[in-house]
Amino acid sequence: MTACPCCFQEQNDTYRRWQCDTPSCQKPDEVAQAWLGPKATVGGSVDWVRDPAVKAAAPERTGCPTCGRSAGPACPYCHFLFPPSWLGSTTVTVAMAGARNTGKSVYVGVLIRFLTDLVGRHGSSFSWAHPLSARNYRETYEKALFAVTDALGEPVEPTIMGATPRASTESYQRFPLIMNLGTLARQRTHLILRDVAGEDLEKFAGGTPEDANLTFFASADLVVYLFDPLTVPYVAGALEGLIPRQMQQGVADPAQVLGTVLSLVQAGRPRLAVVMSKFDAVQQLRRVPDTTLGRIMIPPGSAMVRSPALTGSYDEQDAQLLHEEIRGLLHEVEADQLVRLAAHYRHRFIGLSSLGDFPLGERLSPYGISPYRVLDPLLWILAEKRLIPTV
C-alpha cells in the first residue's frame, strides 16, 4: 500500500493529481496550508477521476496547465507533492504522540540515528526521501543530540532537545520526516514519522480536530504514544531520592492524554504502541529490593532489564514477554486506565530509554547516548507488514 507522506491517506487508481514544482507556478493553496502552514504553495495542477464506464488507467505523466512543463504526482487530498518514485512503493506511516516532557523529540532523533544499522542488516541502505526532511533532522535533531563541533569547528557538548513546537507555529514539526529504507522483503519501502506537540494534545478537547494537521492519526499504520512514568504518582513516589529532581517535570495525566490521542484516531484502526519512556529511571527501582516494585525489577531474566541484540528480525516471544511485564507493572502502580484504553486496539506495551542515563541539567550524560529498546515499536510494525522476518 502507498500512502501520502503528509496526510497518510491511501492512494488509489481512481483519483489522481499532478502538480508542477516550477517556482514561477507556485501560488498559495488553502488545502496545503491547512497541513503545512500558511506559507505553503502549490504549482499548476491537474486532477483526474476514473470514469466508471471506462477502464483506462491514469496517465503516467501530464503537463502543467500553466507553464506546460511536466507535472509530478501529488496527493489529491492534501495537495502534497510526492517525492520521486513514490507511487507503487510500500509505505509505513507512524504518528508520534505524547504530553510535554515525555521525550518524544529525543526519541525521534535517536530512533532515526539507529535505523541505518537496522536496514543495513537486510542488505539495504537508509536515505532521506525529501531534502526538507533531511535538513530538519540535521538542524533540529542531529545537531542537538550528536553534534561534536559547531559551525566554526569548535567542540560542543550535545544537549537535551526542547519541546516540540505547536502546529500553529511555522516550525519543522509541520513537515513529515520522510525516509527511504531501500528494499525490504523485495519491496521499495518508505517510512514516514509525524510528531505532534504535547501542548496541542493537551489542549485538544475531543471531537473534530481544530485543523487538518491532526487528522492523519486516523490513517496511520502505527500510533506511538509515549508517556513519562514519573507522571504516575505511585512511580514518582517510589523513585523519590533515587533520580535527579529535574526529571520530575511532567504534569499531564497519561491516561487523559491517551484518551485524547484515541479520540483523534476516531474510526481508524492503527496498531497502538503504548510506550513508557525514560525507562532508565524506572530501572532504578532495583535499588530498593525490599519493595514490591523493586522485586519486580530484580529478576535477571526479565525483559524489562535487558535489551536484546539487534538482529534485524522481530523477536515475538521477547516482545510478548515485555508487553505482559509492562502491563503487570502498570497494574502495580495503579495505572490500569492505560490498560483499559489500549484494550480497544491491537496494541503493545513497551518500555524504552532514548538516552540510557540521566541528563545532567541541560547536558547529556558524560557516558553518551546508550539507548534501550528504541527500535522496538518500529520492529513491531515492520514485522506486522511482513517487511522483516519474525522469530
Side-chain angles (χ1 to χ4, degrees), residues 19 68 75 82 86 96 121 145 180 206 223 231 259 261 284 292 311 362 367 376 388:
Q19 289 175 189
C75 178
F82 295 148
W86 188 262
M96 305 289 302
R121 291 177 181 272
L145 293 169
N180 182 359
V223 171
T231 58
V261 171
Q284 295 301 308
T292 300
T311 63
E362 294 300 315
Y367 300 106
D376 277 24
I388 61 172

Side-chain angles (χ1 to χ4, degrees), residues 58-82:
E60 291 293 327
R61 303 193 67 81
T62 188
C64 171
T66 303
C67 69
R69 297 183 182 181
S70 180
C75 178
Y77 306 104
C78 70
H79 298 181
F80 185 88
L81 184 65
F82 295 148

Side-chain angles (χ1 to χ4, degrees), residues 122 185 311-316 379 382-383 386-391:
H122 294 274
T311 63
S313 301
Y314 184 60
D315 190 331
E316 177 67 23
L379 289 171
L382 290 176
R386 298 184 179 180
L387 293 170
I388 61 172
T390 300
V391 296

Side-chain angles (χ1 to χ4, degrees), residues 42 59 85 123-124 127 135 253 265 289 299-300 323 347 352 356-357 366 373:
V42 166
S85 304
S124 189
S127 63
R135 188 184 74 183
D253 177 5
V265 170
H323 168 79
H347 67 284
L352 60 81
D357 199 1
R373 290 189 177 271

